[in-house]
Amino acid sequence: MLVTALGGGYGPGTPREGWDHSTPYLERVLADIWQAELTVIKRELTLAATTPGMEGLRDLAQQQHSEALVAARDAVRVLAGG
């Protein structure tokens, strides 16, 4: 399992789309090279709650936080076999 947290937003349609260089690199190494079965849980906008200028993204950041928690719990249940 790979869990990543990013302060900004780098997903499709954002001004900095494609600027997340760490997650694709880790996916490449873990899944492609090491052949690991990989579940990726990615949360963006972690700095929205405290960074001036990101106030308009706080609702989206909270939504992503909630979705990441659900994804993490689901992944742990699968790993635990139940």
Side-chain angles (χ1 to χ4, degrees):
M1 181 182 322
L2 173 62
V3 178
T4 64
L6 305 163
Y10 306 101
T14 64
R16 292 194 170 105
E17 180 177 351
W19 283 27
D20 173 15
H21 300 289
S22 63
T23 306
Y25 174 79
L26 291 169
E27 289 175 317
R28 172 88 169 121
V29 171
L30 296 171
D32 296 344
I33 295 172
W34 291 354
Q35 300 295 305
E37 185 177 322
L38 190 61
T39 299
V40 178
I41 300 168
K42 185 174 178 179
R43 161 116 193 272
E44 296 186 354
L45 303 172
T46 60
L47 294 176
T50 59
T51 302
M54 294 183 78
E55 295 88 356
L57 298 170
R58 289 181 180 163
D59 289 341
L60 180 57
Q62 183 56 46
Q63 177 186 343
Q64 288 189 7
H65 177 78
S66 298
E67 290 170 358
L69 286 175
V70 169
R73 287 184 187 119
D74 291 346
V76 168
R77 281 190 194 104
V78 169
L79 289 172

